């Protein structure tokens, strides 16, 4: 029985990608977030019944450029609300394998510079995602919402060679959620 447990434990470790003989090294952890770039109240409208957790960072996602493994992009929700969403999404990027990081705030919400003119006129954002296409182009998506509207809008943006996100592309539904 003890041998069966040992064998099953080894199978679980291998299935999880852990190899007892792995001799690789991992660089020291590095904090890439500078804290919140968003001022309290930046959403511009009252948020009754909600508490914002300033400096809370949730739902992180990281992707690696398939054409340059030293180029990584991380995204996360910044300043999470108690009943969903956040002030904005923050993007960190590196082109040197993580030695240095730049920070950007794509215009997916008012707190991040979103306006009606640039497609980011929303109170809150959620569900950050970033991915690289096979050719190395990076794309980010957000679900953006105004608290008192029954609309959730998928917003996307493409990383430009200048080190910024392109103007957002909104895919707003034509009827409210039920």
């Amino acid at each position: 029985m003890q041998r069966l447990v040992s064998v099953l434990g080894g199978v679980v470790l291998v299935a999880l990608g852990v190899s007892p003989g792995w001799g690789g090294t991992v660089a020291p952890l590095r904090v890439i977030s500078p804290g919140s770039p968003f001022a309290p109240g930046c959403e511009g409208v009252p948020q009754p019944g909600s508490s914002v957790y300033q400096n809370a960072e949730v739902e992180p996602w990281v992707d690696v450029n398939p054409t340059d493994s030293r180029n990584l992009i991380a995204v996360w929700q910044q300043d999470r609300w108690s009943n969903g969403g956040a002030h904005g999404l923050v993007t960190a990027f590196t082109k040197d394998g993580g030695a240095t990081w730049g920070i950007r705030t794509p215009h997916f919400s008012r707190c991040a510079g979103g306006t009606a003119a640039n497609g980011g006129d929303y109170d809150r954002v959620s569900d950050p995602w970033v991915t690289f296409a096979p050719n190395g182009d990076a794309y980010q998506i957000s679900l953006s919402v105004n608290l008192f509207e029954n609309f959730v809008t998928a917003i996307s943006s493409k990383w430009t060679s200048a080190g910024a996100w392109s103007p957002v592309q909104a895919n707003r539904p034509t009827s409210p959620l039920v």
Side-chain angles (χ1 to χ4, degrees):
M1 182 66 170
Q2 186 177 15
R3 184 165 189 234
L4 177 61
V5 170
S6 295
V7 169
L8 287 176
V11 169
V12 169
L13 289 175
V14 170
L16 292 174
V18 177
S19 171
W22 182 67
T25 60
V26 176
L29 294 178
R30 177 183 302 257
V31 175
I32 61 173
S33 167
S36 181
F38 307 125
C42 59
E43 65 282 342
V45 295
Q47 305 287 305
S50 301
S51 298
V52 68
Y53 299 104
Q54 195 75 13
N55 291 311
E57 297 159 345
V58 300
E59 295 188 10
W61 187 258
V62 178
D63 204 10
V64 179
N65 187 334
T67 65
D68 179 2
S69 63
R70 296 176 53 79
N71 178 209
L72 293 87
I73 297 178
V75 298
W76 61 89
Q77 286 187 40
Q78 183 69 54
D79 304 340
R80 177 75 178 183
W81 286 96
S82 58
N83 55 355
H87 272 154
L89 300 186
V90 177
T91 303
F93 67 96
T94 181
K95 294 182 178 183
D96 57 15
T100 59
W101 291 84
I103 301 292
R104 300 288 187 271
T105 54
H107 299 161
F108 293 148
S109 67
R110 287 186 205 111
C111 290
T115 65
N118 67 18
D121 191 21
Y122 296 95
D123 300 351
R124 300 181 184 195
V125 295
S126 189
D127 297 5
W129 189 272
V130 66
T131 193
F132 282 95
N135 69 354
D137 288 346
Y139 297 89
Q140 184 175 356
I141 191 168
S142 164
L143 293 182
S144 297
V145 64
N146 286 323
L147 183 61
F148 296 109
E149 293 180 15
N150 288 324
F151 287 94
V152 175
T153 304
I155 299 181
S156 62
S157 185
K158 180 180 176 185
W159 186 252
T160 67
S161 59
W165 291 102
S166 67
V168 300
Q169 302 282 323
N171 183 13
R172 187 178 173 111
T174 54
S175 60
L177 301 172
V178 180

